[in-house]
Amino acid sequence: MFDTVIAGSLPKPAWLAETEKLWPQWKAEGAELAQAKLDATLLWIKAQEDAGLSVIGDGEQSRQHFVHGFLEQVEGIDFEHKVEMGIRNDRYKAMVPQVVAALKLKGRVHATEARFLRAHTKRKIKFTLPGPLTIVDTVADRFYGDRRQLATAFAELLNQEALALQADGVDIVQFDEPAFNVYMDDAATWGIEALERAAQGLTCTTAVHICYGYGIQANIDWKNSLGQEWRQYEKVFPALARSSIQQVSLECFHSHVPPDLMALLHGKDVMVGVIDVASDTIETPQEVADAIGRALQFVPRQHLIACTNCGLAPMSRAVAEAKLRALAAGAKLADERQAAK
Ligand SMILES: [Zn+2]
C-alpha cells in the first residue's frame, strides 16, 4: 500500500482565524487562542484519519505562516518593525521581520502541538519546519550580511528544534524549501549544505518539500511565466540524491514538471504531488491513480509516497477535506491497479 500524506498545511477553521488567506489574523488571543489551535489540530487529525491517510500532520494549525511560526521563537529577530520586501526573487511583496542580532532559540518552538499530535494518533506523524534557505529569503537581514552565513545560523537553530521534535515522537521531520526552485544554484550548493546541517544527528526520517508555492495569484502568474517545461528541479535533485535527506516532496499533478526528472532522485523516497493546490476542482480517484501510475515509470513502487503538491492552507475547508479523501482513494486505486498487474 502506498503511504499517503499531505505536504503540510491545512485551512484554519473560521473560528480560529480568517479563512482563505495565506497570512490570516487569529480570531482569539491568550489562553483561548492556545486552546483553539489545539482544537483545530484535533479536528484535522480526525479528518486525515477518516480520509484514510497513513501519515498524519498537525496541518500547521498553530502557526500563522509556515516561516514566521518558527521565527517568533528566535532571539535576534525584530518582529515589531517589519519591513516590506520582495521575496522569492521579488515574485511578491511580504512584510517580513528583521534580523538585528546574533540568532538564538528562546526555547522550544513546536513542543505543544507536536506532543499533542503524538498523543492523538497512533499512525506515523510528520512535522514540518521551514528550511534554512527559505527562511533566509523571508527575513530582512541587518546583521549577518551574508546569506550563506545566515542560513547556517538558522540551520543550527532548526537542528535544535528538529532533535527535540524527534524526542517528542515525531517520525518524519520535513524541511520546506520552496526557495530551492527560485535560487537553484544556491540551493544545489550551500542550500543543501544548510539543510543537512539542520538535519544533523536525526535518526528519524528526514524530508524536504520543494514546490512552486501555494495556489495564490502571484504564484499562478509566476508559473505561467515558466514556459512549457519546468526544469528547476533538474539542478537540485542530483545534489539531493547525494545528500543524507531521505524523502523529497515535489509537484507533479497539473504542473509542467517533466516526470522523468523524478528519476534523478535515485535511492530517495519520493513524495509525489498528485493533488493540485491551485484549483478547487476535486481530483477523482482515477486522476490520482493515473498520476501515480505515470510517476511509477520513474520511481520504484517501494519509494513512492502519494502527497499533495503543496500546502492546502489558503483553500476552503470543504475543498481541503474533499482533496484529502481524493488523495487516499486515488492511492488505494493505484495500489489495486498494481496488484492486478
Ligand atoms: Zn509548498
Side-chain angles (χ1 to χ4, degrees):
M1 190 66 191
F2 296 109
D3 266 333
T4 44
V5 65
I6 53 170
S9 66
L10 287 164
K12 297 190 174 70
W15 42 262
L16 174 62
E18 293 177 294
T19 56
E20 295 176 53
K21 281 200 173 169
L22 197 48
W23 309 74
Q25 291 301 313
W26 299 113
K27 294 262 179 93
E29 48 186 49
E32 195 185 328
L33 175 61
Q35 184 62 58
K37 288 174 175 178
L38 294 183
D39 291 349
T41 305
L42 189 58
L43 176 159
W44 279 118
I45 292 171
K46 181 79 168 101
Q48 290 171 82
E49 287 193 349
D50 286 353
L53 302 192
S54 60
V55 180
I56 309 294
D58 76 331
E60 303 179 5
Q61 298 298 293
S62 298
R63 49 188 114 162
Q64 190 196 25
H65 178 266
F66 82 99
V67 176
H68 289 183
F70 186 81
L71 296 184
E72 280 166 18
Q73 282 304 316
V74 179
E75 212 175 281
I77 305 248
D78 179 2
F79 256 96
E80 301 296 306
H81 305 93
K82 285 190 194 159
V83 293
E84 190 179 79
M85 192 175 89
I87 68 172
R88 312 294 176 263
N89 204 17
D90 218 13
R91 194 190 319 155
Y92 51 90
K93 302 264 184 253
M95 294 301 291
V96 300
Q98 308 187 64
V99 177
V100 293
L103 299 171
K104 203 177 142 209
L105 273 192
K106 292 177 194 167
R108 282 302 307 277
V109 184
H110 296 299
T112 307
E113 56 268 35
R115 290 172 190 169
F116 184 85
L117 174 62
R118 182 67 289 168
H120 288 88
T121 183
K122 297 206 159 34
R123 297 186 196 175
K124 270 194 286 187
I125 61 172
K126 179 171 90 170
F127 207 89
T128 58
L129 292 170
L133 177 54
T134 297
I135 298 182
V136 166
D137 195 48
T138 319
V139 292
D141 179 26
R142 306 279 181 259
F143 185 78
Y144 286 83
D146 178 78
R147 280 162 71 89
R148 187 177 187 155
Q149 257 182 42
L150 184 60
T152 307
F154 276 120
E156 284 165 10
L157 307 191
L158 288 164
N159 186 241
Q160 275 180 48
E161 179 64 15
L163 288 165
L165 287 168
Q166 172 176 275
D168 291 334
V170 167
D171 301 292
I172 304 158
V173 171
Q174 173 181 297
F175 298 95
D176 295 335
E177 285 285 24
F180 270 25
N181 264 348
V182 184
Y183 310 101
M184 284 80 77
D185 289 317
D186 290 345
T189 52
W190 58 265
I192 288 176
E193 219 175 80
L195 191 63
E196 288 192 293
R197 175 65 188 89
Q200 193 177 303
L202 289 175
T203 51
C204 68
T205 303
T206 54
V208 61
H209 164 72
I210 309 169
C211 63
Y212 288 84
Y214 289 114
I216 59 170
Q217 196 55 48
N219 289 341
I220 293 167
D221 294 344
W222 175 58
K223 291 181 193 184
N224 286 337
S225 77
L226 294 177
Q228 270 315 300
E229 277 206 335
W230 301 353
R231 304 200 72 91
Q232 282 73 12
Y233 288 140
E234 200 164 27
K235 199 159 245 170
V236 182
F237 282 180
L240 267 178
R242 292 190 296 270
S243 80
S244 58
I245 305 297
Q246 292 157 292
Q247 300 188 342
V248 181
S249 156
L250 52 86
E251 279 204 36
C252 181
F253 189 64
H254 280 174
S255 79
H256 293 282
V257 174
D260 60 336
L261 294 187
M262 287 188 261
L264 298 173
L265 289 171
H266 182 72
K268 301 295 170 187
D269 285 344
V270 184
M271 283 182 267
V272 182
V274 292
I275 296 288
D276 186 357
V277 301
S279 159
D280 283 349
T281 307
I282 311 302
E283 290 77 2
T284 64
Q286 288 73 22
E287 285 174 319
V288 171
D290 290 349
I292 292 171
R294 285 192 295 277
L296 281 170
Q297 295 176 272
F298 306 101
V299 181
R301 188 182 175 183
Q302 69 276 16
H303 282 301
L304 194 150
I305 299 165
C307 188
T308 58
N309 273 346
C310 185
L312 303 172
M315 309 195 99
S316 86
R317 188 171 149 186
V319 167
E321 284 173 348
K323 286 191 179 253
L324 295 183
R325 288 192 293 271
L327 172 59
K332 185 164 176 277
L333 178 60
D335 197 60
E336 286 162 10
R337 286 178 180 174
Q338 285 297 306
K341 271 188 182 167

